[in-house]
Amino acid sequence: MSEPTPFEIASPSICDGVPPMRPFVVDGLLRRGEICNFIGASKTGKTWMLYHLIAALASGGAWLGRQCTQSRVLLVDNELHPETAKNRMANVVEALGIDKATFDERVRVAFVRGRMATLEDVEATLRGAGRGAFDVIALDAFYRFLNGVDENANGEMTGVYNHLDRIAEFSGAAIINVHHSSKGDQSNKATTDVGSGAGAIARATDTHLAFLRHMEEG
């Protein structure tokens, strides 16, 4: 066990003025350096929704009525094969009328399916890229980065989110965790109760987005 590290104690110094808030990457929803849970049931279109968001960030457009700041985005994808992901991205970009060259310039992708990639690997990659290389980092899918961590254990998941905070602080980027909901009907749950795993997953994040099925098909 490591030795305890004393905290630094200081005055808030509000007489000298207060610092500006971190800038939004999605207006009213997500700021740089914050963590976002992006949650929905399997096979309900989470990845399509994510690609829509990435396209809006890359182009500086709107997503679900919220203005996005034009951003450099890193997608770390451990679920889809590259050809599947690229076809979906192209469909989204074409449907939204976004310039393909702008999308290619502002978006980077790491395809790591089957490589047992961890958050330590994500951090090492970002430290190699340097602070400020990306404004937004999307992890799809979050559960595959846990590598033996029990998502139902509050203590373990708190440690995971502390790690994400360190990555966000170093990189200066907003982090989006694409996560799955628990099984069964989610419609009667509070927003923070939608999502598989420990309660710490919802409590430790800055933004908790939950996507539910429509009550009527179509």
Side-chain angles (χ1 to χ4, degrees):
M1 186 173 180
S2 60
E3 289 294 322
T5 303
F7 297 131
E8 179 182 350
I9 299 174
S11 167
S13 302
I14 59 175
C15 290
D16 300 330
V18 296
M21 295 291 290
R22 299 179 182 195
F24 281 112
V25 291
V26 182
D27 188 47
L29 197 66
L30 182 62
R31 299 176 185 270
R32 291 188 59 152
E34 292 185 345
I35 313 296
C36 171
N37 291 333
F38 198 90
I39 295 178
S42 297
K43 313 306 179 187
T44 55
K46 287 195 304 299
T47 299
W48 288 101
M49 188 76 79
L50 177 67
Y51 288 173
H52 187 176
L53 173 56
I54 290 173
L57 288 163
S59 64
W63 182 72
L64 302 183
R66 295 179 182 271
Q67 183 62 39
C68 296
T69 301
Q70 190 172 41
S71 303
R72 294 157 296 178
V73 183
L74 170 64
L75 168 62
V76 187
D77 189 326
N78 57 20
E79 281 215 314
L80 296 181
H81 295 293
E83 61 273 19
T84 303
K86 291 179 181 181
N87 272 275
R88 290 186 182 186
M89 288 178 191
N91 288 336
V92 170
V93 167
E94 183 174 352
L96 296 176
I98 292 171
D99 180 63
K100 293 180 181 178
T102 299
F103 187 84
D104 282 347
E105 178 187 356
R106 309 291 295 188
V107 177
R108 294 291 181 268
V109 187
F111 293 109
V112 296
R113 173 173 168 158
R115 300 184 188 179
M116 297 295 290
T118 66
L119 292 181
E120 287 77 9
D121 299 327
V122 173
E123 181 176 6
T125 300
L126 291 169
R127 288 191 179 277
R131 179 177 174 81
F134 301 101
D135 305 303
V136 179
I137 300 159
L139 306 177
D140 188 11
F142 183 46
Y143 77 94
R144 285 200 177 193
F145 291 102
L146 298 181
N147 195 29
V149 173
D150 183 359
E151 71 173 22
N152 295 299
N154 275 306
E156 293 185 37
M157 291 310 300
T158 298
V160 168
Y161 276 82
N162 285 341
H163 193 171
L164 289 172
D165 278 330
R166 292 197 301 272
I167 293 174
E169 183 65 27
F170 165 76
S171 66
I175 297 179
I176 299 173
N177 298 322
V178 182
H179 191 43
H180 57 95
S181 63
S182 53
K183 295 180 180 179
D185 183 13
Q186 308 291 313
S187 60
N188 293 320
K189 292 183 178 181
T191 301
T192 52
D193 292 332
V194 177
S196 180
I201 293 175
R203 292 192 294 270
T205 191
D206 298 289
T207 304
H208 192 80
L209 296 178
F211 300 97
L212 305 178
R213 293 182 184 275
H214 289 292
M215 293 180 68
E216 296 181 9
E217 289 298 325

